């Protein structure tokens, strides 16, 4: 598969992340991601996994079964990155006006992007 297809896939995963984290995430999801096992956190992670499955199903040169397995792993990883972020924010006591809050939030976002790099590398390299 071409380098262009790999870059397009990565770009679409990044745009999907923007949509799922900032446009499609509901208040119920946001308010409950910090409670381990709560359906709100899992629903948010499932939106990510499901949207990634659509992108990979259309673009990735792999079987549908492998697409679904990769996206299930993404869902579990996404859930745990978010849960850990919520715990770190809670422990820090920092709010959106404080640098520590944004350090934690930025780290969360970077870890999600590394997940997409890993997914694309597994598929295309």
């Amino acid at each position: 598969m071409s380098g262009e297809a790999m870059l397009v896939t990565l770009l679409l995963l990044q745009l999907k992340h923007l949509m799922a984290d900032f446009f499609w995430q509901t208040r119920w999801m946001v308010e409950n991601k910090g409670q381990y096992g709560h359906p709100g956190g899992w629903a948010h992670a499932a939106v990510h996994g499901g949207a990634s499955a659509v992108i990979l199903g259309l673009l990735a040169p792999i079987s549908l079964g492998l697409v679904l397995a990769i996206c299930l792993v993404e869902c579990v990883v996404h859930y745990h990155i978010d849960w850990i972020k919520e715990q770190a924010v809670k422990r820090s006591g920092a709010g959106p006006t404080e640098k520590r809050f944004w350090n934690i939030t930025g780290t969360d976002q970077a870890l999600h992007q590394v997940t997409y790099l890993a997914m694309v590398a597994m598929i295309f390299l």
Side-chain angles (χ1 to χ4, degrees):
M1 195 52 102
S2 70
E4 290 85 10
M6 183 172 71
L7 289 175
V8 167
T9 302
L10 182 58
L11 174 63
L12 290 176
L13 289 171
Q14 291 172 327
L15 292 173
K16 178 272 310 185
H17 186 85
L18 170 67
M19 296 305 296
D21 254 22
F22 297 98
F23 291 86
W24 301 334
Q25 187 168 199
T26 68
R27 182 176 179 170
W28 174 70
M29 293 171 181
V30 171
E31 289 176 349
N32 293 295
K33 288 191 298 186
Q35 295 179 50
Y36 195 82
H38 192 283
W42 283 111
H44 171 66
V47 168
H48 276 279
S52 290
V54 171
I55 293 165
L56 297 183
L58 293 172
L59 297 175
I62 57 176
S63 69
L64 180 59
L66 191 50
V67 164
L68 295 176
I70 289 169
C71 293
L72 178 60
V73 171
E74 179 205 357
C75 178
V76 172
V77 169
H78 191 101
Y79 175 85
H80 286 93
I81 291 171
D82 281 0
W83 183 81
I84 290 167
K85 178 201 71 167
E86 291 297 321
Q87 299 312 301
V89 167
K90 189 184 309 180
R91 277 194 290 276
S92 76
T97 61
E98 299 171 73
K99 184 178 182 200
R100 179 79 176 133
F101 174 87
W102 292 106
N103 290 343
I104 294 166
T105 300
T107 301
D108 165 84
Q109 292 299 300
L111 289 172
H112 292 309
Q113 293 303 316
V114 169
T115 302
Y116 302 133
L117 288 172
M119 291 165 63
V120 167
M122 286 187 329
I123 294 165
F124 289 95
L125 299 180

